[in-house]
Protein backbone atom coordinates (compact mmCIF):
# COMPACT_ATOMS: atom_id res chain seq x y z
CA UNK A 1 0.00 0.00 0.00
CA UNK A 2 2.81 2.43 0.88
CA UNK A 3 4.47 1.67 -2.44
CA UNK A 4 1.32 2.71 -4.30
CA UNK A 5 1.25 6.06 -2.47
CA UNK A 6 4.92 6.65 -3.27
CA UNK A 7 4.31 5.89 -6.91
CA UNK A 8 1.30 8.15 -6.91
CA UNK A 9 3.34 10.97 -5.35
CA UNK A 10 6.11 10.39 -7.86
CA UNK A 11 3.65 10.57 -10.75
CA UNK A 12 2.06 13.69 -9.28
CA UNK A 13 5.45 15.36 -8.82
CA UNK A 14 6.40 14.37 -12.37
CA UNK A 15 3.16 15.87 -13.75
CA UNK A 16 3.70 19.11 -11.82
CA UNK A 17 7.27 19.29 -13.13
CA UNK A 18 5.95 18.76 -16.66
CA UNK A 19 3.46 21.58 -16.13
CA UNK A 20 6.15 23.94 -14.79
CA UNK A 21 8.53 23.15 -17.67
CA UNK A 22 5.69 23.54 -20.17
CA UNK A 23 4.70 26.93 -18.73
CA UNK A 24 8.32 28.12 -18.75
CA UNK A 25 8.72 27.07 -22.40
CA UNK A 26 5.38 28.63 -23.33
CA UNK A 27 6.35 31.96 -21.77
CA UNK A 28 9.77 31.78 -23.43
CA UNK A 29 8.24 31.22 -26.86
CA UNK A 30 5.42 33.77 -26.54
CA UNK A 31 6.66 36.58 -24.30
CA UNK A 32 10.43 36.27 -24.21
CA UNK A 33 11.13 35.47 -27.84
CA UNK A 34 13.44 38.48 -28.08
CA UNK A 35 16.89 38.86 -26.57
CA UNK A 36 17.17 40.63 -23.20
CA UNK A 37 18.22 44.01 -24.63
CA UNK A 38 15.34 44.05 -27.11
CA UNK A 39 12.88 43.26 -24.32
CA UNK A 40 14.26 46.13 -22.22
CA UNK A 41 14.04 48.48 -25.23
CA UNK A 42 10.43 47.47 -25.90
CA UNK A 43 9.46 47.92 -22.24
CA UNK A 44 11.12 51.35 -22.10
CA UNK A 45 9.73 52.60 -25.43
CA UNK A 46 6.40 54.29 -24.74
CA UNK A 47 5.79 54.74 -28.48
CA UNK A 48 6.13 50.96 -28.97
CA UNK A 49 3.51 50.37 -26.26
CA UNK A 50 1.17 52.85 -27.95
CA UNK A 51 1.57 50.95 -31.24
CA UNK A 52 0.88 47.55 -29.72
CA UNK A 53 -1.41 45.67 -32.08
CA UNK A 54 -4.79 44.83 -30.55
CA UNK A 55 -7.59 42.83 -32.12
CA UNK A 56 -10.83 42.53 -30.18
CA UNK A 57 -12.94 41.39 -33.15
CA UNK A 58 -13.47 37.62 -32.96
CA UNK A 59 -12.28 35.66 -36.02
CA UNK A 60 -10.79 38.74 -37.75
CA UNK A 61 -7.21 37.43 -37.65
CA UNK A 62 -8.31 33.89 -38.42
CA UNK A 63 -10.23 35.12 -41.49
CA UNK A 64 -7.21 37.20 -42.54
CA UNK A 65 -4.91 34.18 -42.40
CA UNK A 66 -7.35 31.88 -44.17
CA UNK A 67 -8.97 34.11 -46.79
CA UNK A 68 -7.01 37.31 -47.44
CA UNK A 69 -4.52 35.78 -49.87
CA UNK A 70 -1.86 38.12 -48.47
CA UNK A 71 -0.27 35.43 -46.30
CA UNK A 72 1.28 32.21 -47.53
CA UNK A 73 -0.41 28.97 -46.57
CA UNK A 74 2.69 28.00 -44.59
CA UNK A 75 2.61 31.20 -42.51
CA UNK A 76 -1.14 30.91 -41.95
CA UNK A 77 -0.83 27.27 -40.90
CA UNK A 78 2.12 27.98 -38.59
CA UNK A 79 0.28 30.81 -36.84
CA UNK A 80 -3.13 29.17 -36.53
CA UNK A 81 -1.92 25.64 -35.74
CA UNK A 82 0.79 27.05 -33.47
CA UNK A 83 -1.80 28.83 -31.32
CA UNK A 84 -3.81 25.62 -31.04
CA UNK A 85 -0.90 23.24 -30.46
CA UNK A 86 0.75 25.54 -27.90
CA UNK A 87 -2.11 24.88 -25.48
CA UNK A 88 -2.67 21.16 -26.10
CA UNK A 89 -0.50 20.28 -23.06
CA UNK A 90 -3.05 22.05 -20.83
CA UNK A 91 -5.69 19.62 -22.12
CA UNK A 92 -3.42 16.73 -21.18
CA UNK A 93 -1.89 17.88 -17.90
CA UNK A 94 -4.94 19.45 -16.23
CA UNK A 95 -7.10 16.28 -16.42
CA UNK A 96 -4.16 14.15 -15.30
CA UNK A 97 -3.41 16.40 -12.34
CA UNK A 98 -7.08 16.62 -11.36
CA UNK A 99 -7.69 12.93 -12.09
CA UNK A 100 -10.90 13.67 -13.95
CA UNK A 101 -12.02 14.97 -17.31
CA UNK A 102 -13.57 18.19 -16.05
CA UNK A 103 -14.23 20.06 -19.28
CA UNK A 104 -15.26 23.20 -17.41
CA UNK A 105 -12.12 23.29 -15.31
CA UNK A 106 -9.87 22.66 -18.33
CA UNK A 107 -11.69 25.43 -20.20
CA UNK A 108 -11.20 27.83 -17.29
CA UNK A 109 -7.48 27.02 -16.96
CA UNK A 110 -6.90 27.37 -20.72
CA UNK A 111 -8.90 30.59 -20.84
CA UNK A 112 -7.21 32.13 -17.78
CA UNK A 113 -3.70 31.25 -18.97
CA UNK A 114 -4.32 32.54 -22.49
CA UNK A 115 -6.02 35.71 -21.22
CA UNK A 116 -3.10 36.37 -18.86
CA UNK A 117 -0.64 36.03 -21.73
CA UNK A 118 -2.69 38.25 -24.05
CA UNK A 119 -3.06 40.93 -21.37
CA UNK A 120 0.66 40.76 -20.63
CA UNK A 121 1.36 41.26 -24.33
CA UNK A 122 -1.01 44.23 -24.38
CA UNK A 123 0.45 45.97 -21.33
CA UNK A 124 4.12 45.27 -22.13
CA UNK A 125 4.19 45.47 -25.91
CA UNK A 126 5.96 42.10 -26.04
CA UNK A 127 3.55 40.86 -28.70
CA UNK A 128 0.08 41.55 -29.99
CA UNK A 129 -3.12 41.15 -28.01
CA UNK A 130 -5.58 39.20 -30.14
CA UNK A 131 -8.94 37.69 -29.20
CA UNK A 132 -8.37 35.08 -31.91
CA UNK A 133 -5.25 33.88 -30.09
CA UNK A 134 -7.44 33.40 -27.02
CA UNK A 135 -10.02 31.45 -29.06
CA UNK A 136 -7.39 29.22 -30.67
CA UNK A 137 -5.52 28.67 -27.39
CA UNK A 138 -8.69 27.56 -25.60
CA UNK A 139 -9.55 25.32 -28.56
CA UNK A 140 -6.12 23.72 -28.17
CA UNK A 141 -6.59 23.22 -24.44
CA UNK A 142 -10.04 21.72 -24.93
CA UNK A 143 -9.20 19.52 -27.94
CA UNK A 144 -7.39 16.76 -26.06
CA UNK A 145 -9.81 16.92 -23.15
CA UNK A 146 -12.73 16.55 -25.56
CA UNK A 147 -11.03 13.60 -27.29
CA UNK A 148 -10.36 11.97 -23.91
CA UNK A 149 -13.96 12.61 -22.82
CA UNK A 150 -15.23 11.11 -26.09
CA UNK A 151 -13.05 8.02 -25.59
CA UNK A 152 -14.32 7.76 -22.01
CA UNK A 153 -17.94 8.02 -23.22
CA UNK A 154 -17.39 5.43 -25.97
CA UNK A 155 -15.78 3.09 -23.44
CA UNK A 156 -18.75 3.50 -21.10
CA UNK A 157 -21.21 2.81 -23.91
CA UNK A 158 -19.26 -0.29 -25.03
CA UNK A 159 -19.22 -1.62 -21.46
CA UNK A 160 -22.98 -1.17 -21.14
CA UNK A 161 -23.62 -2.84 -24.48
CA UNK A 162 -21.38 -5.76 -23.46
CA UNK A 163 -23.26 -6.08 -20.16
CA UNK A 164 -26.63 -6.08 -21.97
CA UNK A 165 -25.37 -8.73 -24.43
CA UNK A 166 -24.08 -10.92 -21.59
CA UNK A 167 -27.44 -10.69 -19.81
CA UNK A 168 -29.35 -11.59 -22.98
CA UNK A 169 -27.06 -14.58 -23.62
CA UNK A 170 -27.52 -15.74 -20.03
CA UNK A 171 -31.32 -15.61 -20.44
CA UNK A 172 -31.16 -17.58 -23.71
CA UNK A 173 -29.17 -20.42 -22.12
CA UNK A 174 -31.65 -20.91 -19.29
Amino acid sequence: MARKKQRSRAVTVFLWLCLIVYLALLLRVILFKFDFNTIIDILNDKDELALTRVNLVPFQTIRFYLFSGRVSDAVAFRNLAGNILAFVPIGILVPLLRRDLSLGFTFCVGFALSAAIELTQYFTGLGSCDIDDLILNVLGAMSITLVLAAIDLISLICKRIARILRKSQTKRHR
Side-chain angles (χ1 to χ4, degrees), residues 26 30 76-88 136-137:
L26 185 69
I30 295 175
F77 179 79
R78 186 174 67 239
N79 281 284
L80 297 174
N83 272 299
I84 293 170
L85 293 174
F87 276 68
V88 166
L136 293 169
N137 294 161

Side-chain angles (χ1 to χ4, degrees), residues 141-156:
M142 295 300 296
S143 63
I144 295 298
T145 304
L146 289 171
V147 168
L148 292 173
I151 290 169
D152 199 36
L153 179 63
I154 291 168
S155 172
L156 178 68

Side-chain angles (χ1 to χ4, degrees), residues 13-81:
V13 168
F14 174 74
L15 291 172
W16 277 106
L17 285 174
C18 287
L19 182 63
I20 291 166
V21 168
Y22 158 74
L23 291 174
L25 289 171
L26 185 69
L27 293 177
R28 170 74 172 101
V29 168
I30 295 175
L31 295 177
F32 303 111
K33 55 189 158 232
F34 308 110
D35 63 75
F36 181 74
N37 290 330
T38 304
I39 291 172
I40 296 301
D41 290 343
I42 290 171
L43 293 175
N44 288 329
D45 187 356
K46 301 304 178 209
D47 292 331
E48 181 72 25
L49 287 175
L51 296 174
T52 298
R53 190 174 151 260
V54 177
N55 171 36
L56 299 177
V57 180
F59 304 106
Q60 180 175 321
T61 303
I62 295 170
R63 276 193 312 267
F64 172 78
Y65 279 127
L66 294 177
F67 306 115
S68 74
R70 293 188 277 167
V71 178
S72 72
D73 291 342
V75 170
F77 179 79
R78 186 174 67 239
N79 281 284
L80 297 174

Side-chain angles (χ1 to χ4, degrees), residues 9-10 114:
R9 275 192 217 125
S114 182

Side-chain angles (χ1 to χ4, degrees), residues 89-105:
I90 291 295
I92 296 168
L93 292 170
V94 167
L96 289 174
L97 284 166
R98 288 203 23 127
R99 296 180 186 205
D100 68 25
L101 292 172
S102 173
L103 296 174
F105 189 77

Side-chain angles (χ1 to χ4, degrees), residues 102-114 138 142:
S102 173
L103 296 174
F105 189 77
T106 303
F107 172 85
C108 289
V109 170
F111 182 86
L113 178 60
S114 182
V138 171
M142 295 300 296

